[in-house]
């Protein structure tokens, strides 16, 4: 986490506070059994849900938050990067990204666009073992939310590609 976030944002610290969870209208959980691993954060997510926040869970396991989720993507273990890249492809192709923010606050967008252009949801769906429409739906839900947040833990970081997983999540957030 620290290495990936430092490369992406210049700091390896949490990018939002626990107190901000209540204001989310979309909570995207990937690679995290939040209610068990981080019960205070899980409780705040449930409170946000009760206030109307939508929850998307991308995790091979049926974690307790799936009960509250509008969408559960049970991707195969180790396929997080293709899943996230396909989501970014959808966001960019459908013009759901924040062009002004990207132009003024990021670097390397054209390279990212080129990279994710190769991740068609149908092809990625077969790699991840999920439905292509669920990939599109998750991308649209995330990109059109006014206040979306991404939550991940060791299900993302403790892979041989853990740093790349974190950097890919950061790229999604920056879109």
């Amino acid at each position: 986490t620290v290495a990936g976030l430092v490369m992406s944002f210049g700091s390896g610290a949490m990018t939002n506070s626990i107190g901000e969870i209540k204001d989310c209208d979309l909570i995207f959980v990937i690679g995290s059994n939040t209610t068990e691993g981080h019960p205070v954060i899980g409780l705040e997510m449930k409170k946000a849900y009760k206030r109307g926040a939508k929850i998307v869970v991308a995790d091979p396991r049926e974690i307790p938050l799936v009960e509250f989720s509008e969408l559960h993507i049970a991707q195969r273990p180790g396929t997080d990067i293709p899943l996230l890249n396909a989501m970014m492809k959808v966001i960019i192709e459908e013009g759901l990204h924040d062009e002004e923010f990207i132009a003024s606050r990021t670097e390397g967008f054209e390279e990212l666009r080129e990279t994710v252009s190769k991740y068609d949801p149908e092809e990625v769906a077969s790699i991840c073992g999920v439905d292509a429409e669920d990939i599109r739906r998750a991308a649209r839900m995330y990109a059109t939310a006014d206040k979306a947040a991404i939550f991940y833990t060791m299900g993302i970081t403790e892979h041989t590609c853990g740093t790349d997983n974190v950097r890919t999540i950061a790229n999604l957030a920056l879109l």
Side-chain angles (χ1 to χ4, degrees), residues 54-77:
K54 291 180 173 38
I55 299 175
V56 174
V57 174
D59 197 295
R61 304 161 297 176
E62 192 163 324
I63 63 170
L65 275 178
V66 168
E67 176 184 339
F68 301 92
S69 70
E70 182 157 324
L71 177 62
H72 175 215
I73 299 173
Q75 76 276 23
R76 288 185 182 111

Side-chain angles (χ1 to χ4, degrees), residues 16-71:
N16 293 89
S17 70
I18 293 171
E20 291 174 297
I21 297 170
K22 72 181 181 329
D23 298 321
C24 291
D25 42 37
L26 181 89
I27 295 169
F28 180 49
V29 178
I30 182 166
S32 174
N33 188 351
T34 312
T35 55
E36 291 186 20
H38 301 279
V40 172
I41 291 173
L43 180 62
E44 291 302 315
M45 289 177 175
K46 289 178 185 177
K47 288 179 184 177
Y49 168 80
K50 288 178 183 173
R51 286 194 277 287
K54 291 180 173 38
I55 299 175
V56 174
V57 174
D59 197 295
R61 304 161 297 176
E62 192 163 324
I63 63 170
L65 275 178
V66 168
E67 176 184 339
F68 301 92
S69 70
E70 182 157 324
L71 177 62

Side-chain angles (χ1 to χ4, degrees), residues 92-146:
I92 293 169
E93 279 189 344
E94 295 186 5
L96 301 174
H97 55 295
D98 186 337
E99 291 182 23
E100 183 179 322
F101 178 87
I102 292 166
S104 66
R105 312 240 352 229
T106 70
E107 300 171 354
F109 176 70
E110 290 307 319
E111 292 88 348
L112 175 74
R113 181 195 311 258
E114 184 179 330
T115 297
V116 302
S117 72
K118 301 168 188 143
Y119 288 83
D120 289 311
E122 284 74 21
E123 290 177 32
V124 170
S126 67
I127 293 166
C128 296
V130 300
D131 188 305
E133 192 50 41
D134 285 345
I135 295 171
R136 287 186 184 86
R137 186 172 172 213
R140 292 173 185 139
M141 288 175 69
Y142 177 77
T144 60
D146 185 44

